[in-house]
Amino acid sequence: MREKLVAGNWKMNGGLAQNKALLEAVIAGMAGVQGMGCAVCVPYPYLFQAQSSLKDTAIAWGAQNLSQHDKGAFTGEVSSSMLLDFGCKYVLVGHSERRAIYGEDDATVALKFEAAQKAGLTPILCVGESLQERESGVTEAVVARQLDAVTGKLGVAALSKAVVAYEPVWAIGTGKTASPEQAQAVHAFIRSKIASQSKNVADGLVIQYGGSVKGSNAVELFGMPDIDGGLIGGASLDAQEFLAICHAAKR
């Protein structure tokens, strides 16, 4: 059986003092919890703090982005080897905000996915459609295109060492949430698409849902057969809310 994974994406939030309180609360709340995975993806300046706080716990940590380049004259960028220096396990790749705000296209996302895997990091590949795309009925075409960019370059086996996060862009930070049935339909489409290339990879692939997950809706969302946890934005900054979501994943 696939083990559910709940990963917090702090986005561009945090500070040393508030991070300390948040991490301590999450560590305490997750003590003894088994049967699910938990991680936090923090801003680059706080990777050392996350490493120091979480290194003796079952909670993993990671980054929110990386460069597709190994090193060189790329001012402001951070490489996969730098992330490894801070003990990262995960890195987000192709988050909708990176695609929409910073213009990362499918080809760039595939290169970043490749760079992460070459270094031994586990990429969390984010896919999803905008409100306009959903209303135009092209959700599956958009998600398929985003997946194909990676599998077309690296082969479907690359997903056996990755996580996919389905994030309907229209439900991120808006308070809107895809219904459990809407989310499940896309998760099932993703799994069936991968299964058409490799049933083994599809059966083992952890597919998270990301889009205004809260403690109040996590149990119902995570109860869907193809939803394997969540990529959590704003709620990951509230220890009790994040813990409620994590505990929902172990049911």
Side-chain angles (χ1 to χ4, degrees):
M1 280 191 61
R2 297 181 301 273
E3 185 177 86
K4 287 183 169 58
L5 172 66
V6 174
N9 174 16
W10 291 5
K11 305 191 179 185
M12 198 178 72
N13 295 292
L16 290 173
Q18 67 195 76
N19 297 349
K20 182 175 186 291
L22 175 57
L23 289 169
E24 287 176 351
V26 172
I27 290 167
M30 291 299 292
V33 174
Q34 297 180 331
M36 56 83 64
C38 177
V40 291
C41 293
V42 308
Y44 294 138
Y46 303 128
L47 285 173
F48 178 74
Q49 184 182 31
Q51 181 183 34
S52 300
S53 298
L54 300 173
K55 62 184 177 182
D56 295 322
T57 75
I59 303 168
W61 61 95
Q64 299 169 14
N65 188 30
L66 82 165
S67 173
Q68 65 268 44
H69 304 287
D70 293 333
K71 61 182 179 180
F74 302 103
T75 301
E77 291 294 289
V78 172
S79 71
S80 57
S81 62
M82 294 174 185
L83 300 183
L84 289 178
D85 279 343
F86 291 94
C88 290
K89 178 176 181 180
Y90 296 102
V91 60
L92 303 184
V93 175
H95 189 278
S96 61
E97 290 159 5
R98 299 299 312 178
R99 295 178 189 263
I101 300 172
Y102 299 100
E104 291 187 8
D105 59 16
D106 293 337
T108 299
V109 171
L111 289 170
K112 292 189 173 194
F113 184 104
E114 182 179 29
Q117 280 200 333
K118 277 186 176 178
L121 295 163
T122 300
I124 299 178
L125 173 64
C126 301
V127 299
E129 83 284 11
S130 68
L131 180 59
Q132 181 181 4
E133 288 166 337
R134 171 163 280 270
E135 290 179 341
S136 298
V138 295
T139 293
E140 291 186 357
V142 170
V143 171
R145 187 199 75 224
Q146 293 167 337
L147 290 169
D148 286 343
V150 171
T151 59
K153 178 176 177 58
L154 303 172
V156 70
L159 293 179
S160 65
K161 297 180 180 179
V163 174
V164 170
Y166 166 60
E167 41 166 24
V169 180
W170 50 273
I172 299 174
T174 62
K176 297 179 180 179
T177 309
S179 71
E181 293 75 20
Q182 285 176 312
Q184 164 59 24
V186 181
H187 280 240
F189 166 75
I190 292 170
R191 202 174 306 283
S192 66
K193 177 173 173 55
I194 301 305
S196 70
Q197 300 172 71
S198 171
K199 185 177 186 302
N200 286 341
V201 172
D203 287 347
L205 180 63
V206 170
I207 309 175
Q208 299 175 305
Y209 172 71
S212 298
V213 180
K214 304 178 180 65
S216 58
N217 62 22
V219 171
E220 193 175 7
L221 283 165
F222 297 168
M224 294 289 116
D226 289 297
I227 298 181
D228 305 316
L231 180 59
I232 314 303
S236 68
L237 301 171
D238 181 319
Q240 296 312 308
E241 192 73 12
F242 186 62
L243 286 167
I245 295 168
C246 289
H247 283 265
K250 70 182 177 69
R251 290 170 182 256

